[in-house]
Amino acid sequence: MPGPYYDDDEDAGLVAKDAAGDNAAALSVSEISAALKRVVEDRFGFVRIRGELSGVKRAASGHLYLSLKDENARIDGIMWRGNAGRLGFNPEDGIEVIVTGKLTTYPGRSNYQVVIDRMEIAGEGALLALLAKTKARLEAEGLFDSSRKRRLPFLPRVIGVVTSPAGAVIRDILHRLADRFPVHVLVWPVLVQGQGAAEQVAAAVRGFGALLAGGAVPRPDLVIVARGGGSIEDLWCFNEEVVVRAVADCPIPVISAVGHETDTTLVDFASDLRAPTPTAAAEIAVPVREELAQQLAELALRKRRAVNRPLQLGRERLLARAERLPKPQALFSPHAQRLDQAADRLRRGLVDRTHQARGAFHLIDSRLSLPLLSARLDRAQERLAGLARLHASLNPDAVLQRGYVRVTGADGATLTSRAAAVDEPSLTLHFRDGALKVAPGDGPPAPSRSRPAPKAPPPEQGKLL
């Protein structure tokens, strides 16, 4: 725009004066700034700008401040809180984006800026670059280290599934679990695509991890994060840092089952195990019940075999040793022969002994003839008669019939002298009609009144003792 015309011949004054014919009144700074603002907003009320993010900063109010730049220029931008909260990705420096909005000026600094209504990543290449950058940063923090991986439970009682409730994914998972090994399944419904999906998935994973064991809602033993296949843009919420950190921090083992076999997200690296498909995740989560039953039956059979094996080995060893033992006939034959020989010797000995006894008997029989026996018997009778007569003559009590008395001591021995009788404590007088005990030194018994006193013995007889 051409500037105002000044006459060179006119002297410049110290005080501004309106020139003759000049209809351009002097404007204030605010007025010119407002005019510029109207012109810019009217001319550039809708623009799409492609550039690289720089100086991205989110204020406490939620507004997003940034700059867009290329090789030669730079423009400031602002995205109000409402629009910034609907972003499908986390804006970072270096990301190439395409923003949609309008240009406006900021009178306070006499510059212009773009008010952004919508922000998108500039093509799949830029999206992949952002993915690689985020992966490198999280990997450097150790979120993908193999040492963080945990073993999955062999047979979980409760499985938590984070996925959309309206879709084929949850049906496939439930159907596959029911076929293999029915378990208790908790479904946390979330958005798996679009605005707010990342925050919902992260909240669901953290919610499962925050459940207490033994609470009203059972705590899962395993968590499956699942989604069907799609483009990199469809799966982008599973590349968001908030989701990756939630999966990495989850105290429960996590299986990532996002997309198909060729799809890869950052959640796959942060989870404890990646499944190629949601159906494969269900197959990994639980074993096949029939196979477990077969394994148990096989183990029980092996146990019985192990128990019976020592008995079988013992039986085999016993049979082997029994085969090496000699036959019973071979063991008993020598003893049988010795027994036969002993029996033969016994028989011959008995025969010989019988012959000898028969000869001795005949010899004795020849000696025991009747006349000889009668003569020997007569002689024996004569000797017996003589002994009887001698016994009668020698019997000390035989003379008692003729008035004699036999004296015995305390031990029953016959006393033949006075000296022996004095030493005895008591004496027994044996008469023909009985015995009478007396003490040594006693005089004769007193005479009976009915009988006359006996006559005194002759002087030569004296006292009894």
Side-chain angles (χ1 to χ4, degrees):
M1 178 182 294
Y5 171 76
Y6 296 100
D7 187 357
D8 293 337
D9 296 335
E10 183 179 359
D11 296 334
L14 295 176
V15 179
K17 296 179 181 180
D18 294 334
D22 187 2
N23 60 356
L27 301 176
S28 67
V29 175
S30 297
E31 290 174 340
I32 194 63
S33 296
L36 288 173
K37 181 178 179 65
R38 287 193 298 271
V39 171
V40 171
E41 289 180 353
D42 291 343
R43 174 65 181 84
F44 301 99
F46 177 83
V47 293
R48 296 187 70 215
I49 304 173
R50 180 172 184 153
E52 180 182 326
L53 292 177
S54 176
V56 179
K57 181 178 66 174
R58 190 180 296 269
S61 60
H63 305 325
L64 189 66
Y65 295 92
L66 53 87
S67 295
L68 294 173
K69 66 178 182 178
D70 57 15
E71 295 82 356
N72 302 314
R74 176 189 183 102
I75 184 174
D76 292 335
I78 183 173
M79 194 172 194
W80 304 122
R81 179 178 60 187
N83 293 328
R86 291 192 293 269
L87 282 176
F89 66 99
N90 186 26
E92 295 180 1
D93 291 355
I95 301 177
E96 187 177 7
V97 296
I98 295 178
V99 298
T100 302
K102 64 179 180 179
L103 289 182
T104 185
T105 62
Y106 184 59
R109 291 185 301 185
S110 298
N111 61 357
Y112 63 91
Q113 62 185 7
V114 57
V115 179
I116 302 171
D117 296 328
R118 183 177 178 182
M119 181 185 298
E120 300 169 320
I121 297 177
E124 187 172 336
L127 194 63
L128 293 176
L130 175 60
L131 178 63
K133 181 180 179 181
T134 305
K135 178 183 177 183
R137 179 166 52 82
L138 297 179
E139 187 173 14
E141 295 183 21
L143 267 64
F144 304 154
D145 290 348
S146 59
S147 59
R148 297 173 57 94
K149 309 298 182 182
R150 293 160 295 187
R151 295 185 60 181
L152 303 182
F154 175 72
L155 186 57
R157 295 182 179 180
V158 181
I159 296 178
V161 180
V162 179
T163 189
S164 172
V169 171
I170 186 61
R171 292 195 299 270
D172 292 343
I173 292 176
L174 295 177
H175 179 71
R176 197 57 178 157
L177 290 176
D179 286 345
R180 293 174 65 85
F181 204 113
V183 295
H184 189 183
V185 178
L186 296 177
V187 180
W188 197 304
V190 296
L191 292 175
V192 293
Q193 180 179 344
Q195 183 68 32
E199 288 74 14
Q200 290 189 17
V201 173
V205 173
R206 295 189 185 278
F208 274 137
L211 292 176
L212 300 177
V217 179
R219 178 186 173 90
D221 302 313
L222 181 67
V223 173
I224 299 176
V225 178
R227 188 202 187 281
S231 64
I232 185 173
E233 184 178 359
D234 296 335
L235 305 178
W236 186 255
C237 70
F238 297 96
N239 292 317
E240 292 286 350
E241 182 176 349
V242 62
V243 178
V244 176
R245 292 189 180 277
V247 171
D249 296 338
C250 184
I252 304 172
V254 179
I255 296 179
S256 172
V258 178
H260 297 303
E261 295 186 13
T262 57
D263 297 326
T264 303
T265 62
L266 296 184
V267 169
D268 297 334
F269 299 100
S271 63
D272 297 289
L273 184 68
R274 175 185 180 269
T277 61
T279 303
E283 295 176 353
I284 295 172
V286 295
V288 180
R289 182 168 54 182
E290 288 74 11
E291 294 179 356
L292 288 181
Q294 294 177 358
Q295 292 178 5
L296 291 176
E298 183 179 355
L299 291 175
L301 177 60
R302 292 174 59 185
K303 178 181 177 181
R304 289 194 297 269
R305 289 176 178 174
V307 172
N308 295 329
R309 184 58 179 167
L311 298 177
Q312 183 179 358
L313 291 176
R315 186 180 296 108
E316 293 175 356
R317 294 191 186 102
L318 180 60
L319 292 176
R321 293 174 181 176
E323 291 177 355
R324 291 195 296 268
L325 290 175
K327 300 299 181 182
Q329 184 177 0
L331 292 174
F332 298 146
S333 293
H335 301 285
Q337 291 178 2
R338 288 196 294 270
L339 180 61
D340 292 340
Q341 294 173 1
D344 185 60
R345 290 196 300 270
L346 178 60
R347 182 182 57 78
R348 291 196 303 268
L350 290 176
V351 172
D352 295 341
R353 183 63 177 166
T354 303
H355 288 309
Q356 294 175 5
R358 185 179 291 112
F361 178 77
H362 288 313
L363 179 60
I364 296 172
D365 182 62
S366 63
R367 295 176 181 176
L368 295 176
S369 61
L370 183 57
L372 182 58
L373 290 177
S374 297
R376 294 183 62 184
L377 183 59
D378 291 341
R379 290 194 297 270
Q381 289 178 348
E382 290 178 358
R383 290 179 59 192
L384 180 60
L387 292 174
R389 289 191 298 271
L390 180 61
H391 177 268
S393 65
L394 296 178
N395 186 4
D397 293 333
V399 296
L400 299 180
Q401 298 297 330
R402 298 199 300 271
Y404 292 94
V405 175
R406 185 168 61 90
V407 180
T408 61
D411 57 356
T414 301
L415 304 177
T416 59
S417 66
R418 182 178 182 278
V422 172
D423 296 332
E424 291 292 334
S426 64
L427 301 174
T428 302
L429 304 180
H430 296 273
F431 299 92
R432 66 177 180 82
D433 58 351
L436 177 63
K437 286 186 178 292
V438 297
D442 292 342
S448 174
R449 294 182 180 180
S450 61
R451 290 184 181 180
K455 296 181 179 181
E460 65 273 11
Q461 183 176 357
K463 293 183 179 181
L464 178 62
L465 297 177

